[in-house]
Amino acid sequence: MASSTGNEKSVNPVLRISQLDALELNKALEQLVWTQFSSCFSGFKPGVLAHLEPEIKAFLWLILWRFTVYSKNATVGQAILNIQYKNNFSQTEKYQALSRQQKLWYLLFTVGGRWLEERCYDLFSNRQLRSLCRVKSVLGFGTGLVKLCGLLNFLVFLQQGSFATLTERVLGIRAVFYRPQGVRQVGFDYMNRELLWHGFAEFLIYLLPFINLQRIRLKVSSWCSPVAGLPGSEQAAAAQRKECSLCGEWPSLPHTSCCSHVFCYYCIKSNYLHDLDFTCPKCGSEGHSLQPLKYKIEMTELH
């Protein structure tokens, strides 16, 4: 709000965490804008935006700069947190908005710097000319030096609490509250719901290992399927022995367990290892002795 005025000494200083939160909100917004924009080209050939990605991103960031810093003297994250940029070079005690030159230099340092870094990386990664090696080394040294200065500026920011980025310090723009800070009303309803939900989730994590889901599934399947009695003929016995009572497929290494039903060896063995009180899902009989199937089925009966 460029028109808002007030005494600078009466303005409460912006907390460090608020300035860092504003930077994170700005990054999240940029990522969201790029994701929404790239999703518009999901139906095209993969990599259609790869060649022009730095330019497209620079154009999107230019639009964001036009409707945030240029028009409102604040980024989106700062506007959410009641923060605004102030011209720190002004000699007056009242609030003074950013000058046009500061806004343009801010655009050049933020948008132009990132575009130059991404574009130069693409250019030098595809060319191995000797004439460009020196330029590449110079730009690499400059990029590293800028990042080192940014690190030093961040350490100074942690100590002093102003100028969170190197761009803000160079341009002389400082984050201030542009509206009086009211009493913060803290509601604990959401916090209570989160605590209850996390407590319930931890209880489930503790309880689930004690629940034998395999046994419950087999018990339900035995209730839903009809109870099979002993076969009355050799043909019925042969028909029962053509599929595993657990997996429903042709039994591999068929075995029995104290009842007339047939199981794959690996199916029945894994269930016994998982549940010591395993019962047959067809008839509900209990037994722990596995015996290979001795009943011989003629090849003519199988077909």
Side-chain angles (χ1 to χ4, degrees), residues 21-66:
D21 287 342
L23 295 177
E24 293 298 325
L25 289 174
N26 295 334
K27 294 179 182 179
L29 175 66
E30 293 176 356
Q31 183 64 32
L32 178 62
V33 171
W34 175 248
T35 302
Q36 295 295 327
F37 180 81
S38 58
S39 64
C40 299
F41 297 87
S42 59
F44 291 79
K45 182 180 178 180
V48 67
L49 300 177
H51 300 291
L52 298 177
E53 182 175 342
E55 286 74 20
I56 296 174
K57 284 185 176 180
F59 178 72
L60 294 177
W61 308 159
L62 174 63
I63 296 177
L64 290 177
W65 169 84
R66 172 61 182 82

Side-chain angles (χ1 to χ4, degrees), residues 88-241:
N88 201 52
F89 290 152
S90 62
Q91 301 298 328
T92 60
E93 296 181 354
K94 296 183 178 180
Y95 173 84
Q96 184 174 355
L98 302 182
S99 62
R100 184 182 180 86
Q101 289 76 14
Q102 286 177 319
K103 296 177 182 179
L104 293 177
W105 279 109
Y106 183 88
L107 172 66
L108 182 63
F109 286 164
T110 56
V111 179
R114 284 187 293 180
W115 171 82
L116 182 62
E117 182 179 1
E118 294 180 5
R119 177 49 66 192
C120 290
Y121 177 81
D122 293 339
L123 290 176
F124 294 136
S125 61
N126 297 329
R127 299 181 181 180
Q128 300 296 333
L129 300 178
R130 293 184 177 179
S131 60
L132 297 178
C133 291
R134 185 175 181 83
V135 179
K136 180 180 178 181
S137 61
V138 171
L139 290 178
F141 176 77
T143 303
L145 184 61
V146 170
K147 292 183 179 180
L148 178 61
C149 294
L151 175 61
L152 297 177
N153 175 79
F154 183 74
L155 296 177
V156 176
F157 162 73
L158 293 180
Q159 181 181 7
Q160 298 180 356
S162 58
F163 304 112
T165 62
L166 183 62
T167 303
E168 296 177 1
R169 184 175 296 276
V170 171
L171 298 180
I173 55 179
R174 188 163 61 91
V176 296
F177 288 118
Y178 66 93
R179 281 200 303 262
Q181 289 295 99
V183 179
R184 188 175 181 181
Q185 300 293 335
V186 180
F188 295 96
D189 295 338
Y190 176 77
M191 186 181 300
N192 293 336
R193 288 195 299 268
E194 287 294 317
L195 291 175
L196 289 175
W197 171 249
H198 284 295
F200 180 69
E202 291 178 358
F203 175 74
L204 289 180
I205 294 174
Y206 173 78
L207 183 64
L208 284 178
F210 296 98
I211 301 176
N212 195 335
L213 299 178
Q214 181 72 9
R215 184 174 183 181
I216 294 176
R217 184 180 66 83
L218 295 176
K219 182 65 69 175
V220 172
S221 63
S222 64
W223 290 343
C224 298
S225 60
V227 178
L230 293 176
S233 62
E234 296 295 330
Q235 295 180 355
Q240 286 187 353
R241 287 166 172 78

Side-chain angles (χ1 to χ4, degrees), residues 1-4 64-76 78-79 83-85 95 97-98 103 178:
M1 185 181 300
S3 61
S4 59
L64 290 177
W65 169 84
R66 172 61 182 82
F67 293 100
T68 55
V69 178
Y70 185 81
S71 60
K72 299 181 180 180
N73 294 308
T75 61
V76 176
Q78 291 176 338
I83 301 174
Q84 193 174 34
Y85 276 137
Y95 173 84
L98 302 182
K103 296 177 182 179
Y178 66 93

